[in-house]
């Protein structure tokens, strides 16, 4: 996947594929954005839920993107593989499930 280097408010950031080293930064961003992530699920560590949801899902791993600036994760987007039925066919697709942007980078 090519690296995209747009400019926002004069600050450069990079959008790229998620790497394992991004896990702690993504979890921190999700917690900061939503107050508590995952919501309404008790008794499981956020890192375990993230692994289950995005790495070990029943239809395969999610497509994950991060935005990074100043060596920190400032954005995260996840598309989960999904299947649905239409006209008697099962169609594979992607479903957007997690989107978070650091408050400092929102408009």
């Amino acid at each position: 996947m090519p690296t995209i280097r747009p400019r926002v408010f004069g600050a450069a950031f990079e959008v790229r594929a998620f790497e394992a080293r991004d896990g702690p930064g993504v979890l921190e961003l999700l917690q900061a954005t939503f107050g508590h992530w995952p919501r309404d699920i008790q008794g499981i560590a956020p890192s375990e839920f993230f692994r289950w949801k995005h790495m070990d899902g029943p239809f395969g791993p999610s497509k994950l993107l991060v935005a990074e600036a100043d060596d920190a994760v400032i954005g995260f987007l996840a598309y989960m593989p999904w299947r649905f039925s239409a006209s008697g066919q099962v169609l594979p697709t992607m479903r957007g499930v997690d989107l978070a942007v650091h408050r400092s980078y929102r408009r």
Side-chain angles (χ1 to χ4, degrees), residues 8-73:
V8 173
F9 306 116
F13 67 94
E14 177 181 355
V15 176
R16 59 175 174 72
F18 173 90
E19 298 172 3
R21 67 181 173 90
D22 298 317
V26 167
L27 290 173
E28 183 178 316
L29 176 65
L30 290 168
Q31 295 286 342
T33 301
F34 297 111
H36 178 73
W37 189 93
R39 289 185 176 188
D40 301 325
I41 297 176
Q42 305 299 317
I44 187 167
S47 59
E48 285 300 307
F49 182 78
F50 184 89
R51 182 193 53 74
W52 170 80
K53 183 176 184 180
H54 293 301
M55 308 303 172
D56 299 333
F59 303 129
S62 297
K63 302 296 183 196
L64 309 174
L65 297 173
V66 296
E68 184 177 50
D70 300 322
D71 296 319
V73 174

